[in-house]
Amino acid sequence: MNPDASTIAAGAPIEVDLSPIAEGQDIKMFWRGKPIYISHRTKKQIEEARAVNVASLPDPQTDEARVKSGHEQWLVVIGICTHLGCIPIAHEGSYDGFFCPCHGSVYDTSGRIRQGPAPLNLAVPPYQFVSDTKIQIG
Amino acid sequence: MSGPSDYQPSNPALQWIERRLPIFGLIHSSFVAYPTPRNLNYWWTFGAILSFMLGMQILTGVILAMHYTPNADLAFKSVELIVRDVNYGWLLRNMHAVGASMFFVAVYVHMFRGLYYGSYKEPREVLWILGVIIYLLMMATGFMGYVLPWGQMSFWGATVITNLFSAVPYVGESIVTLLWGGYSVGNPTLNRFFSLHYLLPFVIAGVVVLHVWALHVAGQNNPDGVEPKTEKDTVPFTPHATIKDMFGVACFLLLYAWFIFYMPNYLGDADNYIPANPGVTPPHIVPEWYYLPFYAILRSIPNKLAGVVAMFGAIIILCFLPWLDSAKTRSSKYRPLAKQFFWIFVAVCILLGYLGAQPPEGIYVIAGRVLTVCYFAYFLIVLPLLARIEKPRPVPNSISDAVLAKTGSRSTPMVSTAIVLALAGSLFAGSIDSAKASEGSDTPPGNKWSFSGPFGTFDRGALQRGLKVYKEVCSSCHGLSYVAFRNLAEAGGPGYSVAQASAFASEYKVKDGPNDAGDMFERPGRPADYFPSPFPNEQAARAANGGAAPPDLSLITKARSYKRGFPWFIFDVFTQYQEQGPDYVAALLQGYEEKVPEGVTIPEGSYYNKYFPGHAIKMPKPISDGQVTYDDGSPTTVAQYAKDVTTFLMWTAEPHMEARKSLGFQVFVFLIIFVGLMYFTKKKVWADSH
């Protein structure tokens, strides 16, 4: 009863071209049935993400651990709220990150949970940079 | 009943069978001669009501399954096709959907009866636990059944509830992947839920057999909690209990029919008339009413795993009831303190249910936590304590003593509690609507619709004018893909003849093919064709409309609603108000304002509308005075256009509404007569026994 071969094949890794995404923009795409946000973060957003006392976070994690070094302006997260699975809205909430309308969880510009009932940060899917403007997810 | 009966049928053919498979003896000893306490009240008819409802659900379900397609791309449409095209499909669907709710109404009454009268106490512990198992199976079946129509609430409810299992340590993620059959709720999920939804009711039936068997070993409990001692304490099951159960079932059928024929969508959610969209989460995800108390308990606990444990714990704790409540006196009738706490517990459950439908903010969160504590305190603190400290009233010597001592209205407590529960139930059911908080939109004004009320019909003129408005204004952006041209000639619709419908169809160009050369081609429309959509796919629709896809309008009047608020949603059950959708649509069409109010900002490319949630709508004002010419002299005003096109859209959403109401009337007349006949027969049968 585990996922069958065609489901697994449809979930094979995909490549995404990042060049059309301008600074400050983000796109939402689907992989393995899950929505994925790819954000081209501004300098301000990166600074805000890094200026936090990590120990005070509900799910402590540094911003560096959530992005690829040399590509800090790219944030790739699975857009599923870790509370009960709704899709948070990008560029919303008091941290200019994500806001989940279902029960009010607020995430920051690194996709980390700040307020609300969600227990964990937004999950980062497995991905790597195949070139400066292209990533492979999965 | 224990051991084989010595019943012999009089018919020789039946005797032949009896010798080889003593089924007649079994039925005779279990349901004819079976000694049943003579003091049972009407709360005891709910077992029969439940058996009847299980049969009803299986029967309607099996027939529905002949027409339903369990594939994510086809499920929603297959349900609509059942409702529109299958003979009496609308009736089957209503019976099954409403039947699930009625099944839960009956099971909650049945369980509360057990709680009040101590039916879980020795020697009925296994009977009670089997009942809890049936209840759990019912909850699983109901959950999976709700996923099948593959509407927005089906999909997102499935997402939320399956995600709960990820709270289990170590194996949680694997469990969830196994449930999903993939990486998210999708087609494999739907398929396996359909398989299990078909299977579980038969598992329930099996456990029900065990449940009735366990019941017959111990004998039924009774309102006085005193076991039968002599023959004077009991009456034969047939005809006494049989006729009483039939009367009870008949009364229950009245409630069932009220919802099937007059309020079929009251207990559901408007969002489930929107096809499932994995990319859009509805603003409020609310389960069906019968899960609300447990949903409230789940959300009360801020920790994910603890919340899940508390939610399941709230059900599992019922299994331990016989040991938590060790009081010797069975019936709360003779336990004054326990009686009061019981009713407080009932109130706690109802309030938890109400909270389960509210957004988890502010006072609702605090109230939820307090009530969750009260819920568990009843089982873990109150009942064990009462067993030790309560001084019960003296219990009668025997059932016949209790019956003879009875004076005055025995039926009044039943009737008044039934009324209270009905009001409470409608609070519950109507509270689902409360979840649709009117965040940033005004309440639409009520309108007089020709189709409202038990005798409502569609105004043919309005339908024809509405069709004209749709065709000339709306169809450039909005599809109507569930409506076929042949529907225009059907009874209960705009009243065109078959020839007129054919002529109407032939004005459209429809894509068909491939032809023998392998090419697609265009041809004039035929009655069997559906209204074409203006865009080939959703992306094209979005691109042409500033990023917002214009929704298909076939179901729009059932897919939209607004918060009715307390106490209107209680009155609605009795007034049969279900025109939230049409009132909203008509209001929206007339709700555009040139001047944006103080403090409200509307983004570029959007327009201000009083009634649209959030006030910023992407659709520009679609209709203006004089835009569509009417041949019948009706005023060509925006208000008239709004009324007519909304009436038309109510018909596209439910083409068989008139048949539903007219059959409902006939069914009600029959049921009222039937109830009367059953009542007088019951009185006659019981004349000597009271």
Side-chain angles (χ1 to χ4, degrees):
Chain A
M1 281 164 50
N2 262 317
D4 61 31
S6 62
T7 309
I8 296 178
I14 53 167
E15 283 191 354
V16 184
D17 184 12
L18 301 178
S19 32
I21 311 174
E23 196 175 302
Q25 255 194 346
D26 52 79
I27 62 163
K28 184 166 86 171
M29 34 131 336
F30 277 86
W31 174 71
R32 287 192 171 177
K34 298 195 207 291
I36 310 237
Y37 281 113
I38 303 177
S39 271
H40 188 161
R41 305 194 291 178
T42 60
K43 283 260 174 331
K44 183 157 172 287
Q45 286 176 315
I46 302 174
E47 271 159 28
E48 280 170 356
R50 302 207 162 177
V52 182
N53 176 5
V54 174
S56 69
L57 295 172
D59 181 15
Q61 222 184 356
T62 60
D63 181 63
E64 287 83 345
R66 296 175 56 77
V67 293
K68 303 282 183 212
S69 69
H71 302 278
E72 287 83 5
Q73 71 273 38
W74 294 107
L75 178 73
V76 182
V77 287
I78 296 182
I80 296 179
C81 183
T82 55
H83 179 228
L84 287 174
C86 298
I87 301 181
I89 308 170
H91 293 302
E92 288 274 333
S94 30
Y95 299 88
D96 191 32
F98 302 88
F99 172 72
C100 183
C102 290
H103 307 102
S105 294
V106 185
Y107 300 85
D108 64 15
T109 47
S110 183
R112 294 174 298 200
I113 181 65
R114 296 296 203 101
Q115 285 165 25
L120 301 169
N121 303 331
L122 291 178
V124 177
Y127 72 98
Q128 52 270 14
F129 276 84
V130 292
S131 77
D132 265 344
T133 53
K134 217 183 256 190
I135 57 171
Q136 185 192 59
I137 303 184
Chain B
M1 167 208 137
S2 339
S5 101
D6 43 13
Y7 170 78
Q8 274 301 317
S10 43
N11 179 306
L14 300 184
Q15 282 174 7
W16 183 95
I17 299 177
E18 179 73 13
R19 182 160 163 251
R20 290 154 177 77
L21 180 73
I23 191 158
F24 300 108
L26 178 66
I27 295 178
H28 187 266
S29 62
S30 306
F31 301 110
V32 178
Y34 180 73
T36 181
R38 64 167 1 119
N39 60 337
L40 296 184
N41 58 33
Y42 281 100
W43 299 119
W44 261 262
T45 55
F46 279 85
I49 290 173
L50 284 166
S51 307
F52 173 80
M53 287 313 298
L54 179 63
M56 233 27 280
Q57 288 299 94
I58 290 179
L59 187 64
T60 52
V62 165
I63 302 177
L64 284 170
M66 295 178 185
H67 303 281
Y68 170 76
T69 307
N71 179 293
D73 299 324
L74 304 169
F76 189 88
K77 183 138 199 188
S78 76
V79 173
E80 276 304 309
L81 290 179
I82 289 173
V83 172
R84 288 160 195 271
D85 292 336
V86 171
N87 298 314
Y88 291 102
W90 59 267
L91 179 61
L92 284 167
R93 199 267 172 109
N94 284 359
M95 286 173 79
H96 198 75
V98 172
S101 279
M102 293 296 117
F103 204 4
F104 277 96
V105 167
V107 90
Y108 285 133
V109 172
H110 189 71
M111 289 162 78
F112 278 119
R113 181 280 310 263
L115 240 44
Y116 186 82
Y117 290 110
S119 306
Y120 49 83
K121 290 176 186 291
E122 190 264 337
R124 297 182 180 91
E125 299 95 324
V126 171
L127 171 68
W128 176 257
I129 292 173
L130 286 170
V132 176
I133 293 174
I134 295 174
Y135 178 58
L136 280 166
L137 288 171
M138 277 174 67
M139 294 184 95
T141 310
F143 164 63
M144 292 190 293
Y146 194 66
V147 176
L148 299 182
W150 211 240
Q152 272 288 67
M153 219 38 97
S154 305
F155 180 90
W156 289 99
T159 302
V160 167
I161 298 302
T162 48
N163 263 316
L164 288 179
F165 291 92
S166 63
V168 177
Y170 304 116
V171 290
E173 288 295 336
S174 315
I175 294 178
V176 177
T177 307
L178 199 73
L179 277 174
W180 284 344
Y183 302 109
S184 62
V185 171
N187 193 49
T189 322
L190 177 60
N191 246 315
R192 58 192 53 192
F193 278 8
F194 179 60
S195 169
L196 294 174
H197 182 75
Y198 204 116
L199 169 70
L200 283 186
F202 296 100
V203 175
I204 290 176
V207 184
V208 166
V209 168
L210 294 178
H211 188 69
V212 174
W213 182 7
L215 172 72
H216 281 211
V217 166
Q220 287 159 290
N221 192 12
N222 65 79
D224 296 296
V226 177
E227 296 301 298
K229 296 190 174 110
T230 64
E231 267 183 29
K232 283 201 305 178
D233 290 338
T234 62
V235 288
F237 192 88
T238 300
H240 296 85
T242 316
I243 190 63
K244 205 166 173 182
D245 284 345
M246 283 187 69
F247 174 59
V249 169
C251 292
F252 191 78
L253 284 178
L254 278 172
L255 180 70
Y256 189 20
W258 181 259
F259 284 99
I260 293 175
F261 293 101
Y262 295 117
M263 309 221 49
N265 295 308
Y266 181 84
L267 296 162
D269 197 302
D271 275 349
N272 228 29
Y273 278 104
I274 304 171
N277 186 340
V280 173
T281 312
H284 295 283
I285 299 183
V286 188
E288 286 287 84
W289 68 269
Y290 31 88
Y291 299 121
L292 289 176
F294 303 104
Y295 197 55
I297 292 176
L298 170 77
R299 294 192 309 187
S300 290
I301 318 242
N303 179 294
K304 190 166 168 184
L305 178 58
V308 174
V309 168
M311 185 180 79
F312 284 114
I315 306 171
I316 304 293
I317 200 164
L318 290 169
C319 290
F320 297 99
L321 198 50
W323 294 275
L324 288 167
D325 177 9
S326 50
K328 290 276 173 292
T329 310
R330 266 205 198 96
S331 168
S332 295
K333 214 165 134 185
Y334 301 99
R335 302 180 63 189
L337 276 181
K339 187 192 284 198
Q340 292 176 45
F341 278 104
F342 170 81
W343 288 112
I344 295 174
F345 177 69
V346 171
V348 164
C349 290
I350 291 171
L351 286 170
L352 273 172
Y354 177 78
L355 286 174
Q358 305 314 312
E361 297 155 0
I363 183 120
Y364 297 133
V365 174
I366 305 169
R369 294 194 177 149
V370 168
L371 289 169
T372 301
V373 169
C374 292
Y375 180 96
F376 283 103
Y378 179 73
F379 292 105
L380 296 172
I381 302 175
V382 172
L383 287 180
L385 207 58
L386 285 180
R388 275 162 191 62
I389 65 168
E390 183 179 31
K391 291 242 175 321
R393 284 177 28 224
V395 155
N397 260 328
S398 71
I399 294 178
S400 34
D401 283 354
V403 169
L404 289 169
K406 278 259 180 302
T407 51
S409 42
R410 208 176 317 131
S411 60
T412 333
M414 170 100 187
V415 167
S416 56
T417 39
I419 293 175
V420 166
L421 287 175
L423 279 175
S426 51
L427 177 95
F428 226 64
S431 65
I432 292 164
D433 225 24
S434 314
K436 277 181 202 343
S438 49
E439 296 139 352
S441 61
D442 296 7
T443 307
N447 291 292
K448 278 182 89 59
W449 299 105
S450 65
F451 50 80
S452 69
F455 304 105
T457 54
F458 289 114
D459 179 331
R460 308 267 164 266
L463 289 181
Q464 295 191 2
R465 294 192 299 272
L467 171 62
K468 192 162 201 272
V469 173
Y470 168 76
K471 188 171 176 188
E472 292 179 18
V473 180
C474 322
S475 59
S476 51
C477 300
H478 290 278
L480 204 67
S481 55
Y482 291 97
V483 183
F485 298 115
R486 59 180 163 85
N487 297 133
L488 296 172
E490 282 167 6
Y496 290 112
S497 69
V498 176
Q500 286 173 310
S502 298
F504 188 91
S506 60
E507 290 167 27
Y508 286 81
K509 285 262 167 295
V510 167
K511 209 180 288 267
D512 201 354
N515 59 20
D516 290 337
D519 303 317
M520 304 301 279
F521 59 93
E522 278 200 344
R523 58 160 176 79
R526 298 195 279 253
D529 292 322
Y530 288 83
F531 274 78
S533 291
F535 302 105
N537 51 59
E538 191 190 318
Q539 287 83 338
R542 280 191 192 280
N545 289 284
D552 185 288
L553 292 181
S554 316
L555 289 165
I556 201 90
T557 53
K558 288 205 291 194
R560 298 287 183 272
S561 186
Y562 65 90
K563 175 183 170 144
R564 287 292 282 166
F566 178 85
W568 281 268
F569 59 70
I570 298 187
F571 302 153
D572 287 349
V573 177
F574 301 97
T575 61
Q576 293 184 1
Y577 175 79
Q578 354 161 42
E579 285 74 39
Q580 288 100 317
D583 281 341
Y584 170 81
V585 171
L588 186 102
L589 291 172
Q590 302 169 72
Y592 285 86
E593 313 228 313
E594 278 293 333
K595 248 170 92 51
V596 179
E598 279 293 316
V600 179
T601 42
I602 303 293
E604 267 302 306
S606 297
Y607 304 85
Y608 178 81
N609 187 296
K610 266 173 72 178
Y611 302 103
F612 188 72
H615 290 302
I617 189 172
K618 262 309 216 295
M619 172 173 77
K621 183 170 163 182
I623 39 177
S624 322
D625 291 331
Q627 190 171 345
V628 178
T629 49
Y630 279 154
D631 309 321
D632 60 359
S634 301
T636 51
T637 57
V638 168
Q640 186 68 36
Y641 294 149
K643 198 121 196 272
D644 291 338
V645 81
T646 306
T647 305
F648 173 70
L649 291 176
M650 190 72 237
W651 172 76
T652 62
E654 196 184 348
H656 295 293
M657 181 196 279
E658 293 191 356
R660 158 166 74 83
K661 295 187 178 183
S662 93
L663 183 62
F665 181 66
Q666 296 170 49
V667 167
F668 257 88
V669 168
F670 169 78
L671 279 179
I672 289 173
I673 296 174
F674 185 67
V675 163
L677 287 174
M678 288 299 108
Y679 179 68
F680 289 113
T681 314
K682 179 255 169 192
K683 275 226 125 23
K684 190 91 209 287
V685 165
W686 280 83
D688 302 324
S689 309
H690 277 321

